[in-house]
């Protein structure tokens, strides 16, 4: 029932054929290659991948936060049908924070150290809503209550360095929610936190998501976290989404050797009693555009075709894809 | 917050006392202080009499306390060279030096901050390279050499700017008009060129570093305008720039000997230079003491004002 209602929910964000390349005189990196996905209203999409798989770059590209002078971005990113990549800076600044908000990985460094947390929350509210300082203060107070920060009133006057890591991340979430965004981009929001605090923040995000009906893209390298929060999952490798689908389907019946490898190399609910396996080798060098299956170097099932053909998305069901040339052969 | 101010004030105290001890002992550093004033054929009785007049016959600690007591009340003794009270001469000279320092701080420093910001925002690009080139030149070129070259070009060859004194006809009563302002231009440029280089470089480094920080991305992500983000960047750069500007104002006040001498600017540096050549110890002592105290107070002000901008400083 839950999934049915999501299938008919409108698409709020669609990314198609996104390519991000960093070019400097010294090196070039094809960080994101032909990434396509969509996000529905009220849906949580977990993007799972290791460091350098392009997941954070994809997220930054959605808000056009990548450094302009060294980045080339191709493809299309549409929010409610409106193209982000070509819109004016003015329109972009309305959307940033207003419609699409971001939660950053390091709460310690993503607050400006010389402004109070309250000032930083209210300046966004005033910028987007154009309201008075006292109205913004009131809203900020409600937000801190929403993210369950105790004695919120005093906390508004705190500087970021006067808060603990978990408290700062709660404040960061409050800041992200301050202008009632439709889409939340969460860039490993729990990675920098203690394990116990991680779970608190995760549960908080989940509660708030349900309460407000938010759409979230949750980027993480932690398979446990992505299972905990996601409705759908997209597994990234070498700047590509190698497998995507409904969370339960992907976890229980992985259709890409990399997903399979990830699952068997991590401890999670389905892994009890099984032996852990490490994926051999290291992530691919992205200095050239892909010319084959980027996982073929490390894949135990790869054959000659895999090493010189770029795999297409193979449709396996409703919004269920795998980028593998040998589906069915290796299972 | 208040306890921090008290603590900071208490830190300044030993420095201030150290300065007074040093300045006091200047009297004895260059040999017998009376050599310069006494004629060669002075009798022992004359020497004794002079010693008593100046208090040199008392034990050192007593001399120090008496000297300090007088200095605190603004009495630095009498100039050996002119016979006038040191406080009067020094007061006039300090005002003149302050005029130079304030003009430099109000024109050159904001300009340097602007250039540094420009370079920091365009890190590694052409604007940065041009500004950095000027900044390095400013720091490396000997400022007295530059001053002399400017005199040759603008005063001697082109004859458009005066090179000597504070005003027309050697007038020492400074007023705000073009005739007097013309006299300021060359000394201000010569005196502040090094400071400008240092400030521009510090600002460039501060801005470039801040722009690289994650929170700037977070501010963009909030949808703030570039000007609002620039406000954040400036406030973050402020503590370190305050520190540098404070030091540079201090060096404008104290380090102006060469510039004031070249341009015959009757300021504290000029006075110091004269006093050194005349071995005029009371003037030397008074000038060094006041300049050093100025430095101590300036540092205190900088330290305290930094805490208003960045509250983290109090904790460390």
């Amino acid at each position: 029932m839950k999934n049915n209602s999501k299938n008919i929910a409108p698409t709020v964000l669609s990314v198609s054929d996104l390519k991000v390349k960093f070019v400097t005189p010294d090196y070039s990196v094809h960080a994101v290659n032909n990434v396509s996905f969509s996000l529905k209203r009220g849906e949580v999409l977990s993007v799972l991948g290791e460091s350098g798989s392009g997941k954070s770059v994809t997220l930054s590209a959605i808000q056009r936060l990548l450094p302009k002078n060294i980045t080339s971005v191709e493809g299309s990113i549409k929010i409610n049908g409106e193209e982000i990549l070509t819109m004016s800076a003015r329109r972009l600044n309305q959307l940033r924070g207003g419609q699409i908000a971001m939660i950053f990985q390091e709460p310690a460094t993503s607050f400006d150290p010389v402004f109070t947390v309250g000032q930083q929350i209210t300046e966004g509210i005033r910028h987007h809503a154009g309201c008075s300082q006292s109205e913004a203060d009131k809203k900020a107070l409600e937000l801190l209550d929403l993210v369950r920060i105790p004695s919120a009133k005093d906390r508004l006057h705190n500087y970021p360095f006067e808060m603990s890591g978990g408290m700062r991340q709660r404040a960061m979430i409050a800041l992200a929610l301050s202008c009632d965004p439709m889409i939340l981009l969460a860039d490993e929001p729990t990675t920098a936190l203690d394990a116990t605090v991680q779970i608190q923040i995760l549960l908080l995000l989940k509660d708030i998501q349900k309460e407000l009906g938010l759409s979230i893209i949750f980027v993480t390298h932690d398979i446990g976290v992505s299972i905990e929060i996601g409705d759908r999952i997209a597994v990234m490798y070498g700047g590509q989404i190698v497998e995507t689908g409904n969370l339960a389907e992907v976890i229980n019946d992985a259709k890409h050797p990399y997903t399979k490898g990830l699952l068997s190399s991590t401890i999670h609910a389905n892994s009890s009693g099984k032996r852990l396996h490490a994926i051999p080798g290291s992530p691919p060098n992205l200095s050239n555009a892909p010319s084959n299956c980027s996982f073929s170097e490390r894949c135990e099932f790869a054959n000659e075709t895999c090493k010189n053909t770029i795999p297409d998305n193979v449709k396996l069901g409703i919004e269920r894809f795998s980028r593998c040339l040998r589906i069915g052969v290796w299972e | 917050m208040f306890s921090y101010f008290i603590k900071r004030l208490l830190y300044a105290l030993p420095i201030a006392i150290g300065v007074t001890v040093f300045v006091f002992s200047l009297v004895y550093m260059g040999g017998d202080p009376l050599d310069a004033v006494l004629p060669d054929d002075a009798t022992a009785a004359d020497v004794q009499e002079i010693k008593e007049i100046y208090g040199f016959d008392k034990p050192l600690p007593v001399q120090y306390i008496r000297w300090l007591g007088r200095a605190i009340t603004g009495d630095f003794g009498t100039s050996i060279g002119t016979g006038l009270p040191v406080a009067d001469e020094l007061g006039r000279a300090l005002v003149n030096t302050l005029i130079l320092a304030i003009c430099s701080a109000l024109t050159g420093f904001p300009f340097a901050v602007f250039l540094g910001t420009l370079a920091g925002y365009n890190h590694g690009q052409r604007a940065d390279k041009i500004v950095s080139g000027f900044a390095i030149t400013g720091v490396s070129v000997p400022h007295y050499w530059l001053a002399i070259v400017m005199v040759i070009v603008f005063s001697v060859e082109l004859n458009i700017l005066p090179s000597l004194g504070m005003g027309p006809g050697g007038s020492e009563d400074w007023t705000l008009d073009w005739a007097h302002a013309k006299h300021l231009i060359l000394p201000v440029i010569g005196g502040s060129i090094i400071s400008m280089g240092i400030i521009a470089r510090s600002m460039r480094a501060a801005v470039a570093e801040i722009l690289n920080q994650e929170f700037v991305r977070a501010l963009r992500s909030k949808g703030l305008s570039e000007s609002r983000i620039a406000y954040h960047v400036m406030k973050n750069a402020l503590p370190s720039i305050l520190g540098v500007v404070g030091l540079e104002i201090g060096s404008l006040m104290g380090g102006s000997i060469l510039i004031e001498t070249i341009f015959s600017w009757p300021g504290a540096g000029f006075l110091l230079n004269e006093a050194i050549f005349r071995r005029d110890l009371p003037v030397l002592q008074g000038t060094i003491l006041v300049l050093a105290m100025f430095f101590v107070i300036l540092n205190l002000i900088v330290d305290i004002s930094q805490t208003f901008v960045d509250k983290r400083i109090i904790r460390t």
Side-chain angles (χ1 to χ4, degrees):
Chain A
M1 185 63 209
K2 183 183 155 206
N3 286 334
N4 280 344
S5 71
K6 270 178 187 150
N7 282 340
I8 54 164
T11 297
V12 287
L13 183 79
S14 68
V15 174
S16 44
D17 269 329
L18 182 70
K19 285 181 205 147
V20 180
K21 194 165 70 173
F22 299 116
V23 186
T24 75
D26 305 322
Y27 63 90
S28 63
V29 176
H30 294 257
V32 175
N33 302 301
N34 298 80
V35 160
S36 305
F37 63 88
S38 63
L39 184 70
K40 294 199 174 69
R41 173 164 298 163
E43 181 183 48
V44 180
L45 173 68
S46 282
V47 178
L48 180 67
E50 56 198 302
S51 315
S53 60
K55 54 196 194 309
S56 290
V57 175
T58 305
L59 220 52
S60 295
I62 293 171
Q63 273 204 336
R64 267 168 65 183
L65 286 176
L66 297 165
K68 261 180 249 156
N69 47 348
I70 59 161
T71 319
S72 103
V73 181
E74 287 170 45
S76 154
I77 301 173
K78 283 187 174 144
I79 172 166
N80 288 333
E82 198 178 347
E83 178 58 55
I84 288 180
L85 292 182
T86 53
M87 69 176 44
S88 69
R90 198 190 168 80
R91 178 75 186 126
L92 181 67
N93 276 345
Q94 288 172 347
L95 289 182
R96 281 174 174 173
Q99 301 268 341
I100 323 173
M102 175 103 85
I103 303 174
F104 290 85
Q105 177 172 357
E106 283 278 357
T109 55
S110 8
F111 276 112
D112 183 336
V114 303
F115 286 80
T116 64
V117 168
Q119 284 169 337
Q120 298 187 53
I121 296 177
T122 54
E123 76 176 334
I125 298 173
R126 295 195 63 186
H127 172 76
H128 286 288
C131 60
S132 72
Q133 184 65 42
S134 63
E135 283 172 289
D137 284 339
K138 213 175 121 223
K139 171 100 198 206
L141 198 59
E142 288 170 17
L143 285 162
L144 290 200
D145 280 332
L146 178 73
V147 296
R148 284 153 229 166
I149 289 182
S151 48
K153 199 154 194 158
D154 302 329
R155 287 302 190 176
L156 278 180
H157 303 292
N158 274 175
Y159 285 88
F161 72 90
E162 294 170 315
M163 290 183 161
S164 67
M167 206 61 86
R168 271 196 291 254
Q169 196 57 300
R170 282 170 195 269
M172 179 53 70
I173 294 170
L175 191 149
L177 296 174
S178 63
C179 301
D180 307 314
M182 192 168 59
I183 301 167
L184 208 54
L185 307 177
D187 188 2
E188 307 217 27
T190 57
T191 305
L193 305 173
D194 287 347
T196 48
V197 182
Q198 275 192 18
I199 294 164
Q200 290 173 6
I201 295 291
L202 212 57
L203 293 177
L204 174 73
L205 266 176
K206 220 170 147 177
D207 284 356
I208 290 173
Q209 186 267 330
K210 285 210 186 89
E211 203 174 319
L212 305 177
L214 288 169
S215 310
I216 300 184
I217 301 179
F218 194 103
V219 160
T220 179
H221 66 259
D222 185 329
I223 201 162
V225 168
S226 69
I227 291 172
E228 183 60 42
I229 193 135
D231 297 317
R232 265 200 310 138
I233 190 166
V235 181
M236 283 193 80
Y237 184 83
Q240 290 176 321
I241 294 181
V242 292
E243 178 165 7
T244 179
N246 182 292
L247 181 78
E249 285 171 14
V250 174
I251 297 302
N252 296 324
D253 185 19
K255 292 288 186 197
H256 194 284
Y258 178 65
T259 317
K260 195 98 187 165
L262 265 187
L263 287 168
S264 59
S265 66
T266 334
I267 302 166
H268 54 96
N270 296 354
S271 69
S272 72
K274 291 181 195 159
R275 218 185 145 76
L276 289 176
H277 291 279
I279 303 172
S282 50
N285 175 0
L286 297 175
S287 53
N288 295 312
S291 60
N292 56 8
C293 169
S294 50
F295 189 58
S296 59
E297 301 271 311
R298 300 168 77 184
C299 180
E300 51 183 311
F301 311 107
N303 61 14
E304 274 313 302
T305 326
C306 297
K307 289 184 173 152
N308 48 41
T309 318
I310 303 177
D312 268 336
N313 265 327
V314 180
K315 191 170 164 84
L316 302 164
I318 303 163
E319 296 190 331
R320 174 112 172 83
F321 293 94
S322 168
R323 234 179 233 279
C324 181
L325 291 160
R326 309 198 70 209
I327 292 179
V329 182
W330 56 271
E331 280 169 288
Chain B
M1 189 102 181
F2 187 69
S3 67
Y4 172 82
F5 294 157
I6 299 292
K7 216 160 71 185
R8 187 59 193 77
L9 219 89
L10 289 179
Y11 281 145
L13 211 61
I15 301 172
I17 292 172
V19 167
T20 61
V21 171
F22 172 78
V23 170
F24 170 74
S25 59
L26 275 180
V27 178
Y28 291 96
M29 279 182 186
D32 192 322
L34 293 182
D35 277 357
V37 270
L38 286 173
D40 291 340
D41 56 348
T43 63
D46 290 340
V47 172
Q48 190 55 34
E49 201 190 323
I50 297 278
K51 269 193 176 171
E52 273 166 32
I53 291 171
Y54 283 96
F56 287 130
D57 55 335
K58 300 282 188 303
L60 277 180
V62 176
Q63 285 187 37
Y64 169 70
I65 297 292
R66 284 172 63 175
W67 171 81
L68 187 63
R70 286 197 304 270
I72 286 171
T73 56
D75 174 9
F76 299 106
T78 312
S79 162
I80 294 169
T82 61
L84 295 168
V86 172
D88 293 359
E89 275 192 55
L90 186 55
R92 268 197 306 277
L94 278 174
V95 169
N96 294 342
T97 295
L98 262 178
I99 291 172
L100 261 191
I102 289 172
C103 286
S104 303
L106 291 183
T107 56
F109 289 10
F111 185 56
V113 167
F114 168 75
L115 286 182
T117 309
L118 192 74
Y121 260 94
N122 297 287
H123 191 70
Q125 291 166 38
R126 190 178 298 157
D128 177 22
K129 283 173 184 152
I130 294 171
V131 171
S132 297
F134 274 115
I136 291 170
T137 314
V139 175
S140 331
V141 164
H143 65 315
Y144 51 86
W145 174 83
L146 183 74
I148 293 169
V149 170
M150 286 195 301
V151 167
I152 294 171
V153 174
F154 294 104
S155 308
V156 180
E157 295 295 331
L158 299 174
N159 198 19
I160 48 173
L161 289 172
S163 66
L164 290 176
M166 289 181 68
S171 123
E172 287 197 13
D173 296 313
W174 202 79
T175 43
L176 190 69
D177 58 24
W178 174 236
H180 283 82
K182 253 163 61 168
H183 282 257
L184 268 170
I185 295 173
L186 293 183
V188 162
I189 296 174
S192 57
I193 192 84
I194 295 179
S195 301
M196 282 176 65
I198 292 172
I199 291 169
R201 277 157 57 103
S202 314
M203 192 65 189
R204 166 185 177 268
V207 168
E209 195 219 305
I210 292 161
L211 283 174
N212 257 330
Q213 287 186 32
E214 183 75 354
F215 76 78
V216 176
R217 239 162 65 88
L219 292 172
R220 294 228 161 83
S221 155
K222 280 202 287 190
L224 299 185
S225 61
E226 275 306 313
S227 60
R228 180 74 194 176
I229 293 171
Y231 170 62
H232 278 264
V233 173
M234 289 300 135
K235 194 170 174 194
N236 273 274
L238 195 54
S240 61
I241 266 338
L242 271 177
V244 178
V245 166
L247 278 179
E248 292 310 315
I249 290 179
S251 85
L252 280 182
M253 290 296 294
S256 52
I257 297 184
L258 292 171
I259 289 297
E260 290 187 357
T261 305
I262 289 169
F263 293 104
S264 297
W265 189 271
F270 191 67
L271 190 66
L272 210 55
N273 189 30
E274 275 189 325
I276 291 168
F277 278 109
R278 287 192 203 145
R279 290 201 66 194
D280 194 338
L281 277 170
V283 173
L284 213 53
Q285 277 182 316
T287 313
I288 294 175
L289 183 65
V290 170
L291 287 179
M293 286 305 158
F294 186 83
F295 223 97
V296 171
I297 292 168
L298 201 67
N299 271 314
L300 192 67
I301 294 172
V302 165
D303 277 7
I304 288 174
S305 55
Q306 280 174 330
T307 63
F308 282 102
V309 184
D310 190 344
K311 299 286 187 288
R312 286 174 300 178
I313 293 169
I314 299 174
R315 301 229 307 188
T316 51

